[in-house]
C-alpha cells in the first residue's frame, strides 16, 4: 500500500511566552523566559513557588461564559489554540473540507487536574453529603478537549485523546499522521493542552524532587545542559497543528508549513520516572523515526530535544544523540525550548513541534537559554544553540518527547517539496 503524504497547513499556540502563534515564535527567537512566581494559588508553603504560567488569559474573552464554565482550564487552552490553528489553515469556512473525513486527535497527560482538586476540596469541606458539580466528570476527563473541538466545528472524523505522560501530544501527532497516511482521513486537528499548575501538580512533582527550587531567580531556573540544573519548571498551555493529506491541501490551495515525514516510538523498559542511564530508549526512538522517514542521520539539521533541565535526563538524551548521529552530531543544531516555556507535560510535544516546524520554514533555530556552567558529563562540543537563535538552513528537524513510564516518541518534519 502506498502511504499518502502528510503536511502541516495550520498552527495555533497559547503558551507561557506568547498567547498567539506569532507571539510565541518571536519570544522563542528573542530568548524570553516565561517563568515567574505562581499566581494561580498561594505557593508560600511549597518547595517550588514559581512556574511558567499562561499570562493575561481570560477564557471568556474567547468562549461564551456559560460554555467556559463547563470546561477545565486545559480545555480552555485547547479551544483557543484550535481556533487559531483552524483559522490559520483556512478550515473555518464551511465546505473547505469534508466533515466526515476531518478528525481531532489531541494529547493531554493529566487532563482536568484542577477540576478534580476543587471538587475533592468541596466534598471534604462539606458534611459528607455527596454534592458534586454535574460537569465534574466531563470537565476532568482527558479526552474531553477533542470532543469540544469537534462539536464546535462539526468535525466527525477520528476523535480521541492520547495519554502517554509528557509524550502525549507527540503521540497525538503520530496517530493523526498515521490515519491520514492510511487514507482514513483528509485532515486532522492535532496538538495538546495541559493545565497542571495547581497545588496538587506542584506538590506532587515536588514530592518526587523533579522540580527546580530556584525560587530566588525563576527566570533562570530552567537551564538544560547546565551543570547546576536542579529540575524542570512546570509550564501550561496548548498548541494546535493541523495535519492534512498533501494532495487535499494542494487542491484547495492551502499554505504548507512543512511535511511530517516520519515518527518513532519506543519504551525505556527501565524505570517509572528516570530515563535509561545510557539513553537506550531515546536512541531507539530516533533510529525508528529516521527509518520511518527513510532519512539518514546526516539529513537532520536540528533536534528540538526533550531537554527538561533534570540532572539525569539531559545526560541520557545527549548520550543517545551521539549514539545515533555519530560524527554528524557535531554538525547539528540542538536546542531545548523548555528553557523558555518550561515543561508543558502532555502539551510539550505540540508546542515543541511548532518550534521545529517554524525552524524548518524560516531557517532559524531557537536558542537554549540560561546556560552558565559546562557539565563535565555532557559533551559541550555539541552545538546546543546557547543564548541566541542561530540562522542556518534547516531542511529537516527532529522533535523528541519522553514521558514517565519510559514512553518515547519522536517526529520528523522537513521542507515540503
Amino acid at each position: 500500500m502506498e502511504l499518502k503524504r502528510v503536511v502541516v497547513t495550520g498552527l495555533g499556540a497559547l503558551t507561557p511566552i506568547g498567547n498567539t502563534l506569532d507571539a510565541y515564535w518571536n519570544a522563542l527567537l528573542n530568548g524570553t523566559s516565561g517563568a515567574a512566581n505562581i499566581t494561580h494559588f498561594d505557593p508560600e508553603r511549597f518547595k517550588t513557588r514559581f512556574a511558567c504560567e499562561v499570562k493575561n488569559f481570560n477564557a471568556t474573552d474567547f468562549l461564551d461564559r456559560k460554555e467556559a464554565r463547563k470546561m477545565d482550564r486545559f480545555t480552555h487552552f485547547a479551544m483557543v489554540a484550535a481556533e487559531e490553528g483552524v483559522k490559520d489553515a483556512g478550515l473555518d469556512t464551511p465546505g473547505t473540507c469534508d466533515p466526515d473525513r476531518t478528525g481531532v486527535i489531541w494529547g493531554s497527560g493529566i487532563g482536568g487536574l484542577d477540576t478534580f482538586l476543587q471538587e475533592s476540596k468541596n466534598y471534604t469541606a462539606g458534611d459528607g453529603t455527596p454534592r458534586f458539580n454535574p460537569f465534574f466528570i466531563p470537565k476532568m476527563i482527558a479526552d474531553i478537549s477533542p470532543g469540544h473541538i469537534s462539536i464546535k466545528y462539526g468535525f466527525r472524523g477520528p476523535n480521541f485523546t492520547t495519554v502517554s505522560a509528557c509524550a502525549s501530544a507527540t503521540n497525538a501527532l503520530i496517530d493523526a499522521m498515521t490515519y491520514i497516511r492510511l487514507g482514513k482521513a483528509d485532515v486532522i486537528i492535532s496538538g495538546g493542552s495541559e493545565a497542571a499548575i495547581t497545588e496538587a501538580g506542584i506538590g506532587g512533582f515536588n514530592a518526587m524532587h523533579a522540580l527546580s527550587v530556584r525560587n530566588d531567580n525563576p527566570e533562570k531556573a530552567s537551564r538544560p545542559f547546565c551543570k547546576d540544573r536542579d529540575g524542570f519548571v512546570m509550564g501550561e498551555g496548548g498548541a494546535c497543528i493541523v495535519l492534512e493529506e498533501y494532495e487535499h491541501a494542494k487542491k484547495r490551495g492551502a499554505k504548507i508549513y512543512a511535511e511530517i515525514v516520519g515518527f518513532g516510538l519506543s519504551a525505556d523498559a527501565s524505570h517509572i520516572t528516570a530515563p535509561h542511564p545510557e539513553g537506550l530508549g531515546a536512541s531507539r526512538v530516533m533510529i525508528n523515526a529516521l527509518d520511518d522517514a527513510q532519512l539518514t542521520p546526516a539529513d537532520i539539521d536540528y533536534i528540538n530535544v526533550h531537554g527538561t533541565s533534570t540532572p539525569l535526563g539531559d545526560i541520557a538524551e545527549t548520550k543517545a544523540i551521539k549514539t545515533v548521529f555519530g560524527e554528524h552530531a557535531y554538525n547539528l543544531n540542538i536546542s531545548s525550548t523548555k528553557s523558555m516555556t518550561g515543561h508543558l507535560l502532555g502539551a510539550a510535544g505540540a508546542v515543541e513541534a511548532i518550534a521545529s516546524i517554524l525552524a524548518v520554514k524560516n531557517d532559524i533555530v531557537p536558542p537554549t537559554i540560561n546556560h552558565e556552567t559546562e557539565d563535565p558529563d555532557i559533551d559541550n562540543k555539541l552545538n546546543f544553540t546557547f543564548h541566541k537563535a542561530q540562522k542556518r538552513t534547516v531542511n529537516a528537524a527532529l522533535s523528541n518527547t519522553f514521558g514517565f513510564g519510559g514512553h518515547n516518541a519522536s517526529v520528523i518534519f522537513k521542507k515540503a517539496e
Side-chain angles (χ1 to χ4, degrees):
M1 178 180 179
E2 184 178 351
L3 297 177
K4 297 181 181 296
R5 294 173 63 187
V6 185
V7 293
V8 178
T9 58
L11 299 172
L14 177 59
T15 77
I17 59 173
N19 291 12
T20 65
L21 177 67
D22 288 345
Y24 166 56
W25 179 239
N26 289 332
L28 282 181
L29 297 184
N30 289 326
T32 303
S33 171
N37 291 334
I38 290 170
T39 64
H40 292 345
F41 63 92
D42 182 359
E44 186 59 33
R45 299 176 67 181
F46 288 75
K47 294 177 184 176
T48 297
R49 299 188 290 277
F50 62 93
C52 288
E53 297 176 334
V54 170
K55 299 160 187 69
N56 303 314
F57 175 75
N58 187 335
T60 55
D61 290 342
F62 303 91
L63 301 165
D64 175 79
R65 184 178 299 276
K66 187 175 180 181
E67 290 301 307
R69 290 179 63 188
K70 300 175 184 178
M71 303 174 190
D72 185 88
R73 187 174 172 87
F74 90 104
T75 301
H76 295 159
F77 293 156
M79 297 298 287
V80 173
E83 180 176 359
E84 184 179 26
V86 168
K87 286 182 178 178
D88 187 47
L91 297 173
D92 53 333
T93 302
T96 309
C97 57
D98 181 351
D100 291 324
R101 292 186 56 80
T102 304
V104 187
I105 301 177
W106 208 252
S108 185
I110 298 177
L113 183 61
D114 190 55
T115 292
F116 190 91
L117 177 63
Q118 297 307 321
E119 289 296 313
S120 299
K121 282 183 174 181
N122 292 342
Y123 174 66
T124 55
D127 60 5
T129 302
R131 297 186 182 93
F132 289 88
N133 188 310
F135 295 107
F136 172 31
I137 299 302
K139 287 175 68 174
M140 177 196 72
I141 52 178
D143 69 293
I144 201 65
S145 292
H148 277 294
I149 295 168
S150 69
I151 290 167
K152 177 176 179 178
Y153 295 102
F155 297 150
R156 297 188 293 267
N159 188 281
F160 58 89
T161 286
T162 57
V163 179
S164 51
C166 304
S168 296
T170 305
N171 275 114
L173 288 171
I174 290 169
D175 281 0
M177 173 190 185
T178 300
Y179 276 90
I180 297 172
R181 268 183 164 183
L182 296 175
K184 304 296 184 182
D186 298 327
V187 181
I188 294 185
I189 315 305
S190 193
S193 57
E194 203 80 274
I197 302 175
T198 68
E199 295 99 316
I202 297 296
F205 281 108
N206 268 162
M208 297 172 61
H209 303 287
L211 296 180
S212 171
V213 292
R214 197 179 290 272
N215 294 300
D216 58 338
N217 198 355
E219 290 186 356
K220 293 185 177 296
S222 183
R223 44 179 62 207
F225 311 111
C226 186
K227 181 181 179 181
D228 58 356
R229 65 193 180 279
D230 68 330
F232 74 84
V233 177
M234 180 88 75
E236 64 175 4
C240 173
I241 299 170
V242 178
L243 297 185
E244 187 166 353
E245 194 272 322
Y246 172 68
E247 294 296 338
H248 186 276
K250 191 167 69 169
K251 184 177 180 180
R252 71 181 186 89
K255 71 173 179 291
I256 295 174
Y257 285 97
E259 183 173 358
I260 181 169
V261 294
F263 71 85
L265 296 167
S266 76
D268 278 1
S270 176
H271 191 275
I272 58 171
T273 57
H276 188 286
E278 298 303 315
L280 294 187
S283 299
R284 175 48 52 189
V285 77
M286 290 187 280
I287 291 169
N288 290 346
L290 289 166
D291 287 348
D292 185 59
Q294 299 182 21
L295 296 176
T296 69
D299 292 320
I300 301 298
D301 301 299
Y302 168 48
I303 302 177
N304 187 295
V305 290
H306 189 57
T308 55
S309 186
T310 55
L312 298 179
D314 291 1
I315 293 172
E317 189 170 10
T318 304
K319 287 181 179 179
I321 289 169
K322 293 181 66 177
T323 297
V324 174
F325 290 90
E327 285 302 309
H328 182 63
Y330 299 97
N331 301 322
L332 294 163
N333 271 78
I334 298 165
S335 73
S336 172
T337 47
K338 287 186 180 74
S339 60
M340 295 171 276
T341 66
H343 190 353
L344 273 72
L345 307 181
V351 170
E352 292 157 20
I354 288 179
S356 304
I357 291 162
L358 293 180
V360 168
K361 181 178 184 294
N362 297 301
D363 288 323
I364 186 167
V365 175
T368 305
I369 67 170
N370 296 332
H371 186 269
E372 295 179 355
T373 308
E374 290 187 356
D375 184 340
D377 293 322
I378 289 176
D379 188 343
N380 288 278
K381 293 180 181 179
L382 296 170
N383 183 0
F384 291 105
T385 322
F386 287 135
H387 310 305
K388 292 184 178 181
Q390 294 179 13
K391 292 183 178 180
R392 66 167 291 168
T393 300
V394 183
N395 289 312
L398 183 150
S399 183
N400 285 336
T401 48
F402 311 141
F404 283 175
H407 314 301
N408 305 309
S410 298
V411 285
I412 297 175
F413 301 96
K414 64 178 287 191
K415 291 187 187 301
E417 298 175 1

